[in-house]
Amino acid sequence: DTGVSQNPRHKITKRGQNVTFRCDPISEHNRLYWYRQTLGQGPEFLTYFQNEAQLEKSRLLSDRFSAERPKGSFSTLEIQRTEQGDSAMYLCASSNNRGETQYFGPGTRLLVL
Amino acid sequence: EDKVVQSPLSLVVHEGDTVTLNCSYEVTNFRSLLWYKQEKKAPTFLFMLTSSGIEKKSGRLSSILDKKELFSILNITATQTGDSAIYLCAVEAQGGGNKLTFGTGTQLKVEL
């Protein structure tokens, strides 16, 4: 399967714990995006990378959130000191450098108790 | 701030019906409008529209963009139960990494 993959698919954690999600984009894609989707809403942009450079971050991305893409391939999104309001589906998407269609991964569903 | 509004929010139809989903938008430096279908997982790409008046078609689905009136429609003819999903509209602005701004989606349910 050469699509976007994300791990884990589901994560349940207690408030205050740290969590980390991983995204593996389509191999020839050098743009990678993170979005968050809550129930009844469309996905909201969080951040994006061109290769290893993080070029834009939404104001939705508080100081507790950090994303990396160290070698320009896979990316991780870490949430520190999770809060119940962080419960959401975290979606990763990738596209090529021509900025063509973004293809989404299956998402990581986070539940903070 | 870029904005996308979809209507209706939800819709229930019977198999064989034709449906029209609406998407209006406000965006600075428009580049494209995209439609995605979302079942119980990630959005899957349907169409990307960049030019006014040119219909894009894939099987029973079609879509068209009006850049003057700032809206798009997605048509589904001869609906089937497998069309039940959330249909998301998103706009992409020039520059800024081509991030997408999504609407809240239209929840379509197709009943037998």
Side-chain angles (χ1 to χ4, degrees):
Chain A
D1 187 344
T2 57
V4 179
S5 62
Q6 292 186 246
N7 288 289
R9 295 290 306 277
H10 302 273
K11 179 72 178 178
I12 301 174
T13 191
K14 292 183 180 178
R15 191 174 50 188
Q17 298 294 304
N18 298 345
V19 294
T20 300
F21 310 140
R22 176 177 169 130
C23 170
D24 288 87
I26 293 170
S27 59
E28 63 269 25
H29 285 180
N30 46 22
R31 291 188 180 189
L32 187 149
Y33 304 81
W34 286 99
Y35 293 84
R36 180 172 68 188
Q37 186 176 25
T38 53
L39 200 61
Q41 301 296 317
E44 295 174 294
F45 170 79
L46 293 178
T47 189
Y48 108 95
F49 292 83
Q50 173 125 351
N51 300 313
E52 65 275 7
Q54 187 175 19
L55 297 185
E56 188 171 349
K57 296 191 326 184
S58 162
R59 4 174 239 282
L60 292 176
L61 214 64
S62 77
D63 291 345
R64 297 184 297 105
F65 288 70
S66 62
E68 294 182 342
R69 195 181 182 198
K71 296 181 182 178
S73 56
F74 73 91
S75 175
T76 57
L77 177 68
E78 181 183 17
I79 310 174
Q80 296 183 323
R81 304 181 303 283
T82 52
E83 301 172 357
Q84 288 182 324
D86 298 331
S87 296
M89 172 80 91
Y90 289 83
L91 293 164
C92 176
S94 69
S95 72
N96 61 27
N97 201 37
R98 295 185 297 278
E100 292 178 359
T101 307
Q102 291 180 32
Y103 292 93
F104 283 82
T108 295
R109 189 172 291 282
L110 172 67
L111 178 61
V112 181
L113 300 175
Chain B
E1 187 174 319
D2 299 342
K3 187 176 176 184
V4 177
V5 177
Q6 292 187 245
S7 64
L9 290 181
S10 65
L11 191 56
V12 181
V13 300
H14 294 288
E15 259 200 340
D17 287 351
T18 293
V19 298
T20 298
L21 309 182
N22 304 296
C23 175
S24 63
Y25 64 90
E26 295 172 20
V27 62
T28 307
N29 297 323
F30 175 87
R31 180 175 186 267
S32 67
L33 183 144
L34 297 92
W35 285 97
Y36 287 85
K37 177 182 181 183
Q38 186 173 31
E39 296 167 274
K40 292 181 182 178
K41 47 186 179 176
T44 53
F45 172 75
L46 295 175
F47 298 112
M48 175 188 270
L49 302 157
T50 56
S51 301
S52 271
I54 299 174
E55 186 182 51
K56 291 233 175 165
K57 199 168 171 65
S58 176
R60 298 176 293 102
L61 277 67
S62 64
S63 184
I64 197 159
L65 174 67
D66 185 328
K67 289 168 72 172
K68 183 179 175 187
E69 300 298 329
L70 307 182
F71 80 89
S72 174
I73 59 172
L74 175 69
N75 279 321
I76 309 174
T77 58
T79 51
Q80 302 171 356
T81 54
D83 295 327
S84 296
I86 297 172
Y87 290 84
L88 293 164
C89 175
V91 292
E92 183 183 19
Q94 300 272 6
N98 303 108
K99 66 179 185 280
L100 300 177
T101 300
F102 283 87
T104 54
T106 293
Q107 171 101 53
L108 173 66
K109 185 174 181 183
V110 181
E111 295 180 336
L112 290 170

